[in-house]
Amino acid sequence: MADRYQLEEHVNDDSAGRQIWRGTDVILRRPVAVVLRYPGGEDAAEMLQSAVAASRVIHPNLAGVYDAIDEGERAYVVREWIDGVALRDVVAESGPMDAARAIGIARAVADAVAAVHSTGMIHGNVHAGTTMIGTDGRVVLADARTDGDDKPDADVRAVGGVLYFALTGHWPHTEAGASRVQDAVRDGSGTIVAPRQARAGVPAYLDDLTMDLLDPKLAVPASDVLAAELARLDSAAEEQYLEEVGPLRFTQSGDEQSPEQPQSAARKIAVGVAALLAIAVIGLMLGISALGGDPEDKPAVEAGANPGAGGAAPGAVSNPQPFKLTKDQIRVVDPGPNGDGGDRRNAELAIDGDDGTSWETQTYNTRKFGELKDGLGLLIDLGSPRQVSSVKIQLGEKGVSAELKTGETDPGAAKRGGSNDELKPLDRDLVNSYGTIGTGFTNSEASTMAFIDGLDPDAKYQYLLVWFTELPDSRKIVVDEIIVEGT
């Protein structure tokens, strides 16, 4: 192309449907990435304008733009080839990252965004697919795209999305909907759950920072302020002082703030690590003094625990892990008056650890189970009373309503082999005797449901009933996986 660029390999398509190719600049004899769009002309004007604008910004965490060409039937942008993979694929392959690594990646992205904003431009395409991790460890933000409607705040919130994704493996925004990232887990009100609720071990201050960036009710800091805060946290992580730097969070409201002139109503953003460490040491000494006695007489604190920055809250389930369940620990609860029992089959596929297999119901003629019953459920028997921190349901479709119920016994367990007529009264007794500890739904932005807040960390549960009360538009429920976490 253009008597200069040779296409070598189609890598993938981005969320806007553009083709990403690995190519070669045959004149300079160097690898390049080619972002190819059909058609060119007016349809490709925004892509080319964004590329021209991005070419003016030189930054180590931004992919360099070399060329932008419109040939009418096609248009393409030639940029730096990053020898590595997207953050989206790194997390898909290796799972969520630890706090230090997530901070390092978010810092690099924030630095890149701040460089773009300093020129008066917007990136408009910050997400897990455009955040590249080089084989040399370099983090690079690629493929700027703006349609003129984007605002700087959208880029800053997207950095929060990158941080959330690195910590949890889920994307909290809708902008990357066409990519392969998983939707964020949401609670019963449709609000995304905090990283610490989606995954154990996230420090409290980092959890707060991430959620503040994602909260539409809170003003976000300028990109350079965010970059400075993440740089401070990144330095603390390198010095292994990460646990002592929090809890901090952005709580701006009203007028814009800066690190040099913080408002008294907001917590300081740029504070020296040494000062914070001194405060932590003084606080520890005062605590020991208040308690009295020699510190050697006090119980040892578990390594890595820090109640002020990421430790478990009083009464919280510590170090929760997914329970490994067997097919004998799940069954369908169906109190309906008739039917062939088809919904009772293959319940074990909902807890087999493979989200590629699913438990499915039959298709009903209304979202209320054809008006035949008020619900249908999956009962999980943990085998003995256990502490439970969360119940997460990965569904095949959005628009499902459900409740989480619990009780003391399974009155239908003794007659599972009986006929439908024998089972239904027992199932109805079970539903009536169980108490509801949470309600949830999956809205237009998510296909994952999580029950967290209603679970009492001081209580123990053996029987958990996921009770579906409304079907999606397809009139059937598909459960890819139910994950119960606790100790």
Side-chain angles (χ1 to χ4, degrees):
M1 301 189 300
D3 297 324
R4 179 168 186 170
Y5 305 110
Q6 178 174 315
L7 300 182
E8 306 286 355
E9 179 187 6
H10 178 219
V11 178
N12 58 36
D13 293 343
D14 69 9
S15 60
R18 305 177 302 183
Q19 299 177 15
I20 311 296
W21 286 76
R22 178 177 60 82
T24 302
D25 181 338
V26 297
I27 294 179
L28 296 181
R29 299 178 182 274
R30 66 179 176 183
V32 295
V34 180
V35 183
L36 183 61
R37 188 192 193 287
Y38 291 95
E42 293 182 0
D43 293 329
E46 180 274 322
M47 179 184 82
L48 298 173
Q49 291 168 2
S50 295
V52 171
S55 68
R56 303 185 186 124
V57 186
I58 307 300
H59 190 275
N61 298 119
L62 281 171
V65 178
Y66 303 146
D67 216 340
I69 299 171
D70 184 2
E71 296 181 348
E73 75 278 4
R74 66 184 178 186
Y76 47 96
V77 173
V78 182
R79 64 162 171 80
E80 176 186 4
W81 171 258
I82 309 301
D83 189 12
V85 293
L87 172 64
R88 171 187 62 204
D89 301 317
V90 172
V91 173
E93 177 69 24
S94 303
M97 299 176 172
D98 60 38
R101 182 63 173 139
I103 290 170
I105 290 172
R107 173 195 180 177
V109 175
D111 282 344
V113 168
V116 173
H117 288 184
S118 69
T119 67
M121 297 185 298
I122 310 299
H123 188 277
N125 197 24
V126 179
H127 59 79
T130 56
T131 301
M132 307 297 296
I133 314 296
T135 55
D136 59 355
R138 178 184 169 210
V139 179
V140 182
L141 183 61
D143 300 334
R145 184 178 76 241
T146 177
D147 59 7
D149 296 327
D150 293 310
K151 301 292 189 295
D153 284 3
D155 280 347
V156 175
R157 293 195 189 281
V159 176
V162 168
L163 185 56
Y164 188 97
F165 179 80
L167 290 169
T168 69
H170 295 267
W171 184 250
H173 299 300
T174 57
E175 293 89 331
S179 66
R180 298 192 303 273
V181 296
Q182 298 183 65
D183 290 326
V185 176
R186 297 176 187 268
D187 64 17
S189 67
T191 303
I192 60 171
V193 302
R196 296 183 81 196
Q197 294 175 307
R199 177 194 174 202
V202 177
Y205 69 88
L206 188 57
D207 186 273
D208 289 342
L209 171 61
T210 305
M211 294 305 290
D212 280 355
L213 292 173
L214 298 177
D215 190 342
K217 298 187 294 295
L218 293 179
V220 293
S223 56
D224 57 343
V225 174
L226 175 59
E229 168 66 357
L230 289 170
R232 186 183 69 82
L233 296 179
D234 197 19
S235 297
E238 291 177 0
E239 298 296 329
Q240 298 182 344
Y241 294 137
L242 198 53
E243 290 295 339
E244 286 87 355
V245 300
L248 298 173
R249 64 191 301 179
F250 295 101
T251 54
Q252 293 171 300
S253 60
D255 296 336
E256 216 174 297
Q257 300 177 46
S258 69
E260 292 76 23
Q261 295 177 321
Q263 296 181 4
S264 59
R267 301 179 194 177
K268 303 290 192 295
I269 294 175
V271 182
V273 173
L276 286 167
L277 287 173
I279 293 171
V281 171
I282 292 171
L284 178 60
M285 293 175 64
L286 290 173
I288 293 172
S289 176
L291 290 171
D294 191 277
E296 293 183 358
D297 296 331
K298 306 303 176 189
V301 178
E302 182 179 348
N306 187 334
V317 179
S318 60
N319 300 319
Q321 299 294 327
F323 293 130
K324 293 182 179 180
L325 303 172
T326 66
K327 64 180 182 180
D328 294 328
Q329 292 179 268
I330 186 169
R331 74 174 184 90
V332 175
V333 172
D334 182 1
N338 51 39
D340 61 3
D343 291 338
R344 295 186 181 278
R345 302 189 185 110
N346 303 318
E348 67 275 7
L349 297 181
I351 47 94
D352 63 355
D354 182 0
D355 56 13
T357 61
S358 308
W359 170 74
E360 300 182 11
T361 69
Q362 59 186 305
T363 302
Y364 293 83
N365 57 19
T366 73
R367 295 186 64 182
K368 291 292 187 180
F369 300 93
E371 314 305 326
L372 299 172
K373 51 198 170 191
D374 56 0
L376 180 71
L378 288 171
L379 177 66
I380 295 175
D381 179 356
L382 298 178
S384 61
R386 310 284 293 273
Q387 281 188 301
V388 178
S389 61
S390 67
V391 178
K392 302 171 187 176
I393 304 103
Q394 297 174 3
L395 296 152
E397 189 172 343
K398 303 165 186 177
V400 177
S401 295
E403 300 174 355
L404 182 65
K405 295 175 175 287
T406 187
E408 299 297 326
T409 61
D410 176 7
K415 294 188 178 182
R416 284 182 190 172
S419 69
N420 287 334
D421 291 338
E422 290 174 330
L423 282 167
K424 284 168 185 171
L426 293 174
D427 281 351
R428 171 50 59 195
D429 292 344
L430 182 145
V431 175
N432 290 340
S433 67
Y434 274 33
T436 301
I437 57 176
T439 59
F441 68 95
T442 53
N443 58 20
S444 60
E445 297 181 356
S447 56
T448 302
M449 185 183 303
F451 295 99
I452 298 171
D453 293 340
L455 292 160
D456 184 352
D458 295 322
K460 292 189 176 182
Y461 305 90
Q462 178 170 346
Y463 299 102
L464 295 168
L465 174 64
V466 179
W467 180 245
F468 297 104
T469 57
E470 189 168 4
L471 302 170
D473 289 338
S474 65
R475 309 295 193 267
K476 67 182 294 186
I477 291 174
V478 177
V479 178
D480 294 333
E481 200 69 23
I482 298 178
I483 302 169
V484 183
E485 293 188 333
T487 57

